[in-house]
Amino acid sequence: MKNIKLHAIILALIIVSELIGTHPLKFGIGRIVLLPMLYALLLGILTTPKFLNLSGRKEMLDASSLVGVTLMLLMARYGTLVGPTLPKILAASPALILQEFGNLGTVLLGVPVAVYLGLKRETIGAAHSIAREPNVALIGEKFGLDSSEGRGVMGVYIAGTVFGTIFFGLMASVAASVLPIHPYALAMASGVGSASMMTAAVGSLVAMYPDMADQLAAFGAASNMLSGLDGLYMSVWLGLPMTEWLYKRFYKIKYGVLPEADKKGEEA
């Protein structure tokens, strides 16, 4: 009962978002699918103290602690989609597992850009992954969320939440329009560890291939679950070490000193 105000706000946001519904928009050769989750996110921002002040700091802190519970329910729903198409998913298991190496592309692209833009240790948190919930937990455990690395991972997490669904929805529809890749492969590629991004991408694919709706949802959900599992180990064993190594190399190229030497010089 102590969260009754929070639950009432969330229920109202869900009802309004569902009433607005799903709206596909043509965008060049691609298509953006505006999903109810996007409306709920934007409406939720409007309830904060900076705007309508319907929810205060207490409600925001309580809501953040309940994210894990809601994700459990969402993943249970995805599990019901995976079951009926399990034979096809098992046949594609090697591809589902090997796709995790694609996450290292985030490191190779993100670190040089982040250092060039002037980020320091924030680069490690921001560029080691796409910064979803497991990665936020990893950085929080290793460095603390009040550290530079923590600020980096939270910055990307928030940006991904706001813009990720739009970007993934557009990217999936453009890829399906111009690339000779099977829709199943695109659905698998959409499972990067973010339920919202995966749902947006699969939603765009389903709008283009309605006869494959169940299979696309199943491949996307299975890929997303695997990304949440082995993707975390990929970050621990390869992503973070590679990020720190590249950060030192590009930091020296830009500033002429290694990060540790630069830090010692500032302290002196």
Side-chain angles (χ1 to χ4, degrees), residues 11 20 31 38 62 74 81 101 107 124 136 147 156 165 186 189 214 217 227 237 251 260:
L11 179 60
I20 297 174
R31 178 182 299 184
L38 177 62
D62 289 343
L74 180 63
L81 298 173
F101 286 94
V107 179
I124 295 172
V136 171
S147 64
V156 175
T165 54
L186 295 175
D214 291 341
S227 293
W237 294 332
Y251 189 99
E260 292 81 4

Short mmCIF file of all heavy atoms in Angstrom, two decimals, residues 11 20 31 38 62 74 81 101 107 124 136 147 156 165 186 189 214 217 227 237 251 260:
data_model
loop_
_atom_site.label_atom_id
_atom_site.label_comp_id
_atom_site.label_asym_id
_atom_site.label_seq_id
_atom_site.Cartn_x
_atom_site.Cartn_y
_atom_site.Cartn_z
N LEU A 11 -0.44 2.62 -13.79
CA LEU A 11 -1.65 2.10 -14.42
C LEU A 11 -2.23 3.12 -15.40
O LEU A 11 -2.64 2.76 -16.53
CB LEU A 11 -2.68 1.74 -13.36
CG LEU A 11 -4.02 1.19 -13.88
CD1 LEU A 11 -3.81 -0.09 -14.68
CD2 LEU A 11 -4.99 0.95 -12.72
N ILE A 20 -3.46 4.81 -27.19
CA ILE A 20 -2.82 5.43 -28.36
C ILE A 20 -2.49 4.37 -29.39
O ILE A 20 -2.66 4.58 -30.60
CB ILE A 20 -1.54 6.19 -27.93
CG1 ILE A 20 -1.91 7.34 -26.99
CG2 ILE A 20 -0.81 6.73 -29.16
CD1 ILE A 20 -0.71 8.05 -26.41
N ARG A 31 10.87 1.98 -41.98
CA ARG A 31 9.63 2.24 -41.26
C ARG A 31 9.93 2.31 -39.78
O ARG A 31 10.65 1.47 -39.23
CB ARG A 31 8.63 1.11 -41.54
CG ARG A 31 7.32 1.24 -40.80
CD ARG A 31 6.40 0.08 -41.08
NE ARG A 31 6.04 -0.02 -42.49
CZ ARG A 31 5.18 -0.92 -42.96
NH1 ARG A 31 4.63 -1.80 -42.15
NH2 ARG A 31 4.91 -0.94 -44.25
N LEU A 38 7.04 3.41 -25.90
CA LEU A 38 7.64 4.72 -26.13
C LEU A 38 6.77 5.83 -25.56
O LEU A 38 7.27 6.74 -24.91
CB LEU A 38 7.86 4.93 -27.63
CG LEU A 38 8.43 6.30 -28.03
CD1 LEU A 38 9.82 6.50 -27.41
CD2 LEU A 38 8.49 6.43 -29.54
N ASP A 62 11.31 4.14 -5.81
CA ASP A 62 10.54 2.90 -5.70
C ASP A 62 10.40 2.23 -7.07
O ASP A 62 10.49 1.00 -7.18
CB ASP A 62 9.16 3.18 -5.11
CG ASP A 62 9.22 3.57 -3.64
OD1 ASP A 62 10.26 3.29 -3.00
OD2 ASP A 62 8.25 4.14 -3.12
N LEU A 74 8.11 -9.96 -18.03
CA LEU A 74 8.28 -9.84 -19.47
C LEU A 74 9.02 -11.05 -20.03
O LEU A 74 8.63 -11.60 -21.07
CB LEU A 74 9.03 -8.55 -19.80
CG LEU A 74 9.29 -8.27 -21.27
CD1 LEU A 74 7.97 -8.11 -22.03
CD2 LEU A 74 10.14 -7.02 -21.45
N LEU A 81 6.69 -17.78 -25.87
CA LEU A 81 6.85 -17.69 -27.32
C LEU A 81 7.95 -18.60 -27.82
O LEU A 81 7.90 -19.10 -28.94
CB LEU A 81 7.17 -16.24 -27.72
CG LEU A 81 6.09 -15.19 -27.41
CD1 LEU A 81 6.63 -13.80 -27.71
CD2 LEU A 81 4.84 -15.45 -28.23
N PHE A 101 29.74 -12.27 -30.13
CA PHE A 101 31.00 -11.63 -30.49
C PHE A 101 30.76 -10.31 -31.21
O PHE A 101 31.63 -9.45 -31.25
CB PHE A 101 31.85 -12.57 -31.36
CG PHE A 101 32.47 -13.69 -30.59
CD1 PHE A 101 31.85 -14.93 -30.50
CD2 PHE A 101 33.67 -13.50 -29.91
CE1 PHE A 101 32.43 -15.96 -29.78
CE2 PHE A 101 34.25 -14.53 -29.19
CZ PHE A 101 33.62 -15.77 -29.12
N VAL A 107 32.69 -1.94 -28.56
CA VAL A 107 33.96 -1.50 -27.97
C VAL A 107 34.85 -0.86 -29.03
O VAL A 107 35.40 0.24 -28.83
CB VAL A 107 34.69 -2.69 -27.31
CG1 VAL A 107 36.01 -2.24 -26.72
CG2 VAL A 107 33.80 -3.33 -26.25
N ILE A 124 34.97 3.84 -20.24
CA ILE A 124 34.94 2.40 -19.94
C ILE A 124 33.52 1.94 -19.66
O ILE A 124 33.08 0.90 -20.15
CB ILE A 124 35.88 2.10 -18.75
CG1 ILE A 124 37.31 2.40 -19.17
CG2 ILE A 124 35.73 0.66 -18.29
CD1 ILE A 124 38.31 2.35 -18.04
N VAL A 136 24.80 -2.49 -16.42
CA VAL A 136 24.75 -1.49 -15.35
C VAL A 136 25.12 -2.14 -14.02
O VAL A 136 25.89 -1.59 -13.22
CB VAL A 136 23.35 -0.85 -15.27
CG1 VAL A 136 23.23 0.04 -14.03
CG2 VAL A 136 23.07 -0.02 -16.52
N SER A 147 30.87 6.38 -9.60
CA SER A 147 32.20 6.58 -10.17
C SER A 147 32.08 7.15 -11.58
O SER A 147 30.98 7.27 -12.14
CB SER A 147 32.96 5.25 -10.22
OG SER A 147 32.30 4.35 -11.10
N VAL A 156 24.70 6.08 -21.10
CA VAL A 156 24.33 5.29 -22.27
C VAL A 156 23.02 4.54 -22.01
O VAL A 156 22.19 4.39 -22.92
CB VAL A 156 25.46 4.31 -22.63
CG1 VAL A 156 25.04 3.40 -23.79
CG2 VAL A 156 26.71 5.08 -23.01
N THR A 165 14.68 2.47 -28.84
CA THR A 165 13.54 1.84 -29.50
C THR A 165 13.32 2.42 -30.89
O THR A 165 13.04 1.70 -31.85
CB THR A 165 12.28 2.00 -28.64
OG1 THR A 165 12.08 3.39 -28.35
CG2 THR A 165 12.40 1.23 -27.34
N LEU A 186 17.46 -11.34 -38.95
CA LEU A 186 17.28 -9.98 -38.44
C LEU A 186 16.62 -10.01 -37.06
O LEU A 186 16.97 -9.21 -36.18
CB LEU A 186 16.42 -9.17 -39.41
CG LEU A 186 17.05 -8.90 -40.78
CD1 LEU A 186 16.06 -8.20 -41.70
CD2 LEU A 186 18.32 -8.06 -40.64
N ALA A 189 19.25 -10.89 -34.64
CA ALA A 189 20.17 -9.77 -34.43
C ALA A 189 19.57 -8.70 -33.53
O ALA A 189 20.30 -7.90 -32.94
CB ALA A 189 20.56 -9.15 -35.77
N ASP A 214 4.87 -15.06 -35.26
CA ASP A 214 5.23 -15.89 -34.10
C ASP A 214 6.68 -16.31 -34.14
O ASP A 214 7.38 -16.29 -33.12
CB ASP A 214 4.32 -17.12 -34.04
CG ASP A 214 2.88 -16.78 -33.70
OD1 ASP A 214 2.66 -15.67 -33.16
OD2 ASP A 214 2.00 -17.60 -33.96
N ALA A 217 9.00 -13.28 -33.36
CA ALA A 217 8.97 -12.97 -31.93
C ALA A 217 9.76 -14.00 -31.13
O ALA A 217 10.47 -13.65 -30.17
CB ALA A 217 7.53 -12.90 -31.43
N SER A 227 21.47 -13.28 -24.92
CA SER A 227 22.33 -12.10 -24.77
C SER A 227 22.40 -11.66 -23.32
O SER A 227 23.44 -11.19 -22.85
CB SER A 227 21.80 -10.95 -25.64
OG SER A 227 21.92 -11.24 -27.00
N TRP A 237 34.70 -11.11 -19.47
CA TRP A 237 35.95 -11.74 -19.92
C TRP A 237 36.60 -11.03 -21.09
O TRP A 237 37.83 -11.06 -21.23
CB TRP A 237 35.67 -13.20 -20.29
CG TRP A 237 35.28 -14.04 -19.11
CD1 TRP A 237 35.63 -13.84 -17.81
CD2 TRP A 237 34.45 -15.20 -19.13
NE1 TRP A 237 35.08 -14.80 -17.01
CE2 TRP A 237 34.34 -15.66 -17.78
CE3 TRP A 237 33.79 -15.91 -20.12
CZ2 TRP A 237 33.61 -16.79 -17.44
CZ3 TRP A 237 33.05 -17.04 -19.77
CH2 TRP A 237 32.97 -17.47 -18.45
N TYR A 251 43.82 7.07 -25.35
CA TYR A 251 44.08 8.19 -24.44
C TYR A 251 45.50 8.72 -24.67
O TYR A 251 45.73 9.93 -24.73
CB TYR A 251 43.90 7.73 -23.00
CG TYR A 251 43.93 8.83 -21.97
CD1 TYR A 251 42.75 9.36 -21.46
CD2 TYR A 251 45.13 9.35 -21.50
CE1 TYR A 251 42.77 10.36 -20.50
CE2 TYR A 251 45.17 10.36 -20.56
CZ TYR A 251 43.98 10.85 -20.05
OH TYR A 251 44.00 11.85 -19.11
N GLU A 260 47.00 6.65 -16.22
CA GLU A 260 47.55 6.60 -14.87
C GLU A 260 48.58 7.71 -14.67
O GLU A 260 48.59 8.38 -13.64
CB GLU A 260 48.19 5.23 -14.61
CG GLU A 260 47.23 4.07 -14.55
CD GLU A 260 46.84 3.58 -15.95
OE1 GLU A 260 47.39 4.11 -16.94
OE2 GLU A 260 45.99 2.68 -16.03
#
